[in-house]
Amino acid sequence: MPLVFTVANPGKSPVTLYLMGRDPTADFQVTDDRGRKVWSRLSGQVGIAPLRLFPLEAGQRLSFRGVWNQRSDTGKPVPPGTYLIRAVLLTDEPGGLASPPARLRIERPSGR
């Protein structure tokens, strides 16, 4: 399942984002209907996360892409059910800058 997260500055003035990492980075996180973590794109990754000031000009956008193969962090196919997908821009704030959750209903296990 392709995932896309876009952060935009719709204002008329630039804003400065305080981002973690050399390049702007976003995580995609999936939870089940009880709020338990199922999958995270960055799960198990260790990285150096220096703070970086990132100017976002008026009208500028940052887009991030990822893919969820409907498997848990352990590699097992997830069962049918309702899942919430959230994108998180890694910032200096704990928890980052999170998108509103998108609801996804899986009717049958993926064959992958």
Side-chain angles (χ1 to χ4, degrees), residues 22-91:
R22 290 189 179 118
D23 296 315
T25 303
D27 192 12
F28 292 95
Q29 301 170 351
V30 177
T31 57
D32 65 16
D33 59 353
R34 294 184 180 171
R36 296 176 296 202
K37 181 182 154 197
V38 173
W39 176 83
S40 170
R41 184 177 74 85
L42 298 180
S43 182
Q45 293 186 22
V46 177
I48 298 173
L51 180 62
R52 176 177 180 218
L53 301 179
F54 187 88
L56 192 62
E57 299 297 329
Q60 185 180 6
R61 297 172 170 259
L62 288 175
S63 289
F64 304 91
R65 297 180 184 283
V67 175
W68 180 42
N69 62 4
Q70 297 178 16
R71 293 180 179 271
S72 69
D73 277 338
T74 62
K76 295 179 182 176
V78 297
T82 301
Y83 296 88
L84 295 176
I85 301 172
R86 196 175 260 121
V88 179
L89 181 63
L90 303 185
T91 69

